[in-house]
């Protein structure tokens, strides 16, 4: 195994770890900074891939196409979605299609177009460790270069003044189902791998989908459409009290604006922790068009009499699970409101049980003495999306999609990607290459105006009841 020599004499201004949509956004906007930034971004994958197992036919993004990598910070960038369409001679077809929400597969193709042309992206590079070199006042980033089979090929080290970590999320499998998911005989798969196993799932006699979010709904609909009428044999389970629509009102969407992010960040830690679970319908509900399509498909299957063999049951959780012989799975269920228990036997399970932030502790172990944590031992992250470090560290470590506990439900939302990237670059450069709007929402989230960056006149008839400290 060969090793790449470290280049202390030419450190990067910024090294990005992970090349998903968020660091790809950061790289695209960094490419447009006047005067140039020396950047390098590393990802262990061989090429850009965005949820390949969920690129179901006709599935769309839940944000408008303007929530691309750069537009909401720099609509004149060469890396906009519209620039992609122009480069592919598809601008007029898109204009005539009148699509505000683009296909998920089209967003993936757009990101691959950007990643294929943007300089400074290094795929097939697994970052192993990040350290602070106090003598050089630089970060050291150790990586392993991988071949196409994922085998180690060479070791290397990069140096940077600043680091941006965006290693994304990983599929979450509930504890009772983990042993089943790891065994090969009966398909128990996470929704992230759905398309890879779709043919095998469709051949199963009975299928159970667990999870009430958008992915669960899309998979249930796809399976339903692909099964014979009257012989669907699908069971859809959810812990939520209903198969609920996502909050998509225009004022509700203002929770995904910089104004709300600033307001949320300024709240006390314990208030933030109480608030996030209550806001599940802002990001874990189901798109109303998907709900309508499911109902339409179920209704169509009643036209000649009878009901489809599909069971939709909210309000239940999977307590335990086990195998029946080697070909089936038995799920032990509990209904929260009824206080009852039951069980079902199924031939395949799709777990649409969401994702969890990948832990940063291992990657940042070399920085542990410098990290500042909150009362729950989570990383403190400031308003610039920068991890709080000891004063001895003069560089910055920025994070993307690892700060829901400090920045709220908008942290994983694609609509805030360009704004967050611009915020990071403005802070990193100490200038303002991307001027950002002072106000982004009609809603005033706090009484004292702390969520604004400019004064907002108070209503004349509003009499303070308590002193704001």
């Amino acid at each position: 195994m060969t090793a790449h020599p470290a280049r202390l004499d030419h450190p990067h201004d910024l090294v990005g770890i992970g090349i998903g949509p968020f660091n790809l956004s950061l790289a695209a906007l960094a490419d447009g900074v006047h005067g140039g930034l020396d950047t390098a971004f590393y990802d262990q994958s061989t090429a850009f891939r965005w949820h390949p197992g969920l690129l179901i036919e006709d599935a769309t993004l839940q944000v408008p196409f303007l929530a691309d990598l750069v537009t909401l910070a720099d609509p004149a960038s060469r890396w906009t979605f519209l620039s992609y369409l122009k480069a592919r001679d598809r601008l007029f077809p898109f204009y005539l299609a009148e699509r505000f929400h683009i296909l998920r597969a089209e967003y993936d193709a757009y990101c691959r177009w950007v990643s294929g042309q943007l300089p400074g992206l290094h795929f097939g590079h697994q970052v192993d460790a990040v350290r602070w070199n106090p003598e050089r006042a630089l970060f050291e980033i150790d990586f392993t270069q991988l071949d196409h089979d994922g085998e180690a090929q060479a070791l290397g080290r990069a140096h940077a003044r600043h680091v941006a970590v965006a290693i994304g999320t990983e599929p979450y499998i509930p504890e009772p189902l983990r042993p089943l998911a790891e065994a090969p005989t009966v398909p128990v798969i996470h929704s992230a791998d759905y398309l890879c196993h779709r043919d095998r799932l469709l051949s199963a006699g009975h299928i159970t989908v667990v999870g009430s979010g958008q992915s669960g709904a899309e998979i249930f609909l796809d399976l339903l459409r692909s099964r014979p009428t009257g012989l669907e044999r699908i069971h859809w389970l959810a812990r939520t009290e209903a198969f609920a629509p996502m909050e998509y009102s225009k004022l509700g969407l203002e929770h995904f604006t910089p104004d709300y992010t600033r307001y949320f960040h300024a709240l006390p830690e314990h208030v933030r922790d109480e608030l996030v679970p209550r806001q599940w319908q802002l990001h874990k509900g189901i798109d109303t068009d998907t709900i309508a399509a499911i109902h339409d498909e179920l209704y169509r299957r009643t036209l000649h009499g009878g009901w489809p063999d599909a069971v939709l049951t909210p309000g239940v959780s999977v307590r335990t699970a086990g195998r029946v012989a080697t070909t089936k799975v038995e799920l032990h269920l509990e209904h929260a409101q009824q206080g009852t228990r039951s069980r079902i036997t199924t031939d395949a399970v799709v777990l649409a049980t969401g994702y969890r932030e990948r832990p940063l502790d291992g990657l940042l172990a070399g920085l542990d003495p410098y990290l500042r944590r909150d009362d729950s031992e989570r990383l403190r992250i400031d308003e610039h999306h920068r991890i709080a470090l000891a004063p001895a560290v003069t560089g910055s470590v920025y994070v993307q999609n690892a700060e829901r506990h400090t920045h709220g439900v908008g942290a994983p939302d694609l609509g805030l990607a360009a704004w967050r990237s611009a915020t990071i670059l403005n802070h990193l450069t100490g200038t303002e290459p991307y001027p950002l709007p002072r106000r982004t929402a009609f809603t005033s989230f706090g009484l004292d105006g702390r969520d604004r960056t400019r004064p907002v006149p108070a209503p004349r008839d509003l009499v303070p009841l308590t002193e704001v400290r």
Side-chain angles (χ1 to χ4, degrees):
M1 186 184 299
T2 59
H4 296 306
R7 295 291 303 275
L8 282 169
D9 54 333
H10 288 92
H12 299 291
D13 294 314
L14 174 67
V15 161
I17 302 172
I19 310 177
F22 296 134
N23 258 357
L24 188 60
S25 166
L26 185 62
L29 286 174
D31 182 61
V33 172
H34 181 70
L37 285 174
D38 185 332
T39 66
F41 289 77
Y42 300 98
D43 194 288
Q44 64 182 9
S45 300
T46 56
F48 183 91
R49 302 177 70 201
W50 185 71
H51 296 301
L54 283 171
L55 300 181
I56 300 170
E57 185 177 0
D58 295 331
T60 61
L61 288 186
Q62 293 173 278
V63 292
F65 74 90
L66 292 173
D68 63 15
L69 301 172
V70 295
T71 292
L72 291 176
D74 183 13
S77 169
R78 60 178 291 203
W79 304 116
T80 64
F81 177 72
L82 293 181
S83 296
Y84 158 73
L85 293 176
K86 180 69 165 58
R88 295 296 178 92
D89 288 332
R90 297 181 58 233
L91 199 54
F92 270 89
F94 179 76
Y95 160 66
L96 295 173
E98 296 184 337
R99 284 185 176 271
F100 200 51
H101 292 81
I102 62 175
L103 294 172
R104 192 176 291 160
E106 189 168 29
Y107 178 80
D108 174 66
Y110 154 66
C111 288
R112 286 189 282 111
W113 173 79
V114 174
S115 68
Q117 300 182 81
L118 198 63
L121 305 186
H122 304 276
F123 290 97
H125 287 67
Q126 173 186 290
V127 173
D128 303 309
V130 180
R131 293 182 302 277
W132 176 250
N133 185 328
E135 295 180 358
R136 299 278 184 170
L138 294 172
F139 291 104
E140 295 177 345
I141 300 95
D142 291 343
F143 59 82
T144 302
Q145 188 173 343
L146 309 174
D147 61 21
H148 286 287
D149 297 322
E151 298 296 326
Q153 192 173 41
L155 301 177
R157 178 175 294 169
H159 293 85
R161 297 181 179 89
H162 307 283
V163 175
V165 181
I167 59 175
T169 57
E170 57 189 4
Y172 170 71
I173 297 177
E175 189 65 38
L177 292 162
R178 287 180 188 174
L180 300 180
E182 295 168 356
T185 53
V186 179
V188 178
I189 61 121
H190 192 274
S191 58
D193 300 315
Y194 171 67
L195 288 183
C196 301
H197 298 272
R198 183 175 182 271
D199 292 341
R200 186 183 179 195
L201 291 167
L202 287 174
S203 67
H206 182 276
I207 309 170
T208 300
V209 179
V210 180
S212 62
Q214 182 67 19
S215 296
E218 289 174 352
I219 289 170
F220 176 80
L221 178 60
D222 185 61
L223 292 171
L224 181 64
R225 286 171 168 170
S226 304
R227 308 277 277 188
T229 299
L231 299 172
E232 296 85 1
R233 301 200 66 203
I234 310 174
H235 207 128
W236 186 14
L237 305 171
R239 286 190 307 167
T240 53
E241 296 179 357
F243 295 103
M246 187 173 293
E247 168 56 70
Y248 209 74
S249 66
K250 289 179 170 58
L251 289 178
L253 288 175
E254 291 195 339
H255 287 84
F256 299 95
T257 60
D259 276 12
Y260 183 76
T261 301
R262 286 190 289 265
Y263 161 78
F264 184 90
H265 187 271
L267 292 173
E269 179 184 328
H270 74 278
V271 176
R272 296 197 303 255
D273 290 345
E274 293 170 0
L275 191 54
V276 169
R278 300 205 305 264
Q279 295 178 323
W280 66 270
Q281 210 165 338
L282 288 171
H283 59 102
K284 290 185 179 180
I286 306 170
D287 175 72
T288 54
D289 289 341
T290 306
I291 292 177
I294 289 172
H295 193 276
D296 289 347
E297 183 64 26
L298 291 169
Y299 176 74
R300 184 183 67 80
R301 290 167 182 255
T302 68
L303 294 183
H304 302 292
W307 289 70
D309 188 7
V311 181
L312 292 72
T313 310
V316 297
S317 58
V318 179
R319 294 189 304 110
T320 58
R323 294 192 179 278
V324 178
T326 58
T327 59
K328 295 182 183 295
V329 168
E330 186 176 80
L331 303 178
H332 296 205
L333 311 177
E334 182 170 16
H335 195 285
Q337 293 179 348
Q338 288 183 325
T340 55
R341 293 182 175 182
S342 183
R343 63 185 67 185
I344 62 170
T345 301
T346 187
D347 299 297
V349 181
V350 182
L351 301 172
T353 46
Y355 299 80
R356 295 292 186 272
E357 295 174 358
R358 284 194 174 95
L360 301 179
D361 290 345
L363 180 64
L364 302 181
L367 296 176
D368 193 64
Y370 304 105
L371 301 175
R372 298 294 178 258
R373 300 180 182 274
D374 64 15
D375 293 340
S376 300
E377 290 301 311
R378 297 167 300 193
L379 295 173
R380 293 187 181 274
I381 302 170
D382 71 12
E383 66 272 21
H384 305 292
H385 302 271
R386 179 181 58 167
I387 295 175
L389 298 169
V393 181
T394 56
S396 295
V397 178
Y398 303 95
V399 293
Q400 304 210 68
N401 195 13
E403 73 278 29
R404 184 180 293 181
H405 63 290
T406 57
H407 287 70
V409 293
D413 191 76
L414 293 176
L416 285 173
W419 170 79
R420 178 170 52 197
S421 294
T423 299
I424 290 171
L425 290 171
N426 287 351
H427 181 267
L428 183 152
T429 61
T431 59
E432 200 175 41
Y434 294 106
L436 295 174
R438 294 181 177 180
R439 183 173 179 177
T440 56
F442 291 111
T443 305
S444 296
F445 293 102
L447 287 178
D448 58 1
R450 283 184 295 181
D451 57 313
R452 304 297 194 191
T453 56
R454 63 179 179 183
V456 178
R460 293 182 180 179
D461 57 349
L462 182 62
V463 178
L465 299 180
T466 60
E467 181 181 358
V468 178
R469 298 183 183 274

